[in-house]
Amino acid sequence: MSAIAERWHFRKGLQDLGNGCYAYLQPDGSWGWSNAGLIADGEESLLVDTLFDLKLTREMLETMRRADPRASRIRTLVNTHSNGDHCFGNELVTGAEIIASKACAEEMRRDGGAGRLAEMKRNAGAMGDAGAFFAEVFAPFDFEGINVAMPTTTFERELTRKVGRKTVRLIEVGPAHTAGDVLAYVPDDRVIFTGDILFIQGHPIIWAGPVQNWINACQLMLDLDVETVVPGHGPITDKRGVRDLKGYLEYITREARMRFDAGMSIEQTARDISLADYSSWGDSERIAVNVASLYREFSGGKATAHAAELFGLMGRLYRERRK
Ligand SMILES: [Zn+2]
């Protein structure tokens, strides 16, 4: 085990990073099992992300309050991006200012909140391969009755906030994973909360791209003075985790480009790229979405695939690879 893995166990709940910084982790980090963060100083606290449903978020907030009374009155909530596993619990952080990038807030409004996922889950039986996959990976979560509280403050590029005497830098690095990804960096503590710009021990998923923005975001994190890196999914890491993800993105971009130039389809390419070097990472079916996003870029937006098609292909890869 590496030093970082020995230091931070990947178990459910709150990890005290020291000096008022905490990570809330949800193994196994797969579909929907996201992480969140708490930054406290003086009498104040800032929450980085909520969880995928109200029950999980309630449990997290209770755990945080028990560990640090400053979590009883969270003044600021930051959503790192628009995916539900990072914002569907927003309504439980009552009275907080909710900060997101402008692009994230727009995407949250476009996505239509949790209602769309609740409906997809109810209709999954009629949606073929895509529905079966959706129903299986999202079975543990309850999307009914959620009214996602929307951001109240938006920004572009960078916003700095004080929590007590501590500085938190919110740095927009998207579009990459989604339209408006944001990193939350605490320079004084050399801690960064990356949202889904970092998946550890799991394949990342490129919903938006361009991939170069994501590679640049990795480089930016590598250039920052950072010791502890809290990913959006998976165990706490350090710059090694950032380097590995950057390497993965560069690798699949090269491999997909060769196959795109050779005229191979999205499905052929998704099946053909060797992921042997990443065999310890979960959720390898995400290669389908990653190849589709790269093809869209390579073709200048011409090669597009529907979400239902991609969920169907992910479902087939998921089933085949688990046999
Ligand atoms: Zn996520």
Side-chain angles (χ1 to χ4, degrees), residues 151-168:
T152 55
T153 301
T154 63
F155 71 99
E156 290 175 278
R157 291 189 289 281
E158 183 158 343
L159 182 72
T160 298
R161 272 285 190 270
K162 284 276 186 193
V163 179
R165 285 185 313 278
K166 204 176 276 193
T167 298
V168 181

Side-chain angles (χ1 to χ4, degrees), residues 273-293:
I273 292 177
S274 168
L275 298 173
D277 287 352
Y278 301 96
S279 60
S280 65
W281 292 12
D283 308 323
S284 67
E285 66 277 4
R286 291 175 179 166
I287 191 70
V289 174
N290 295 344
V291 167
S293 291

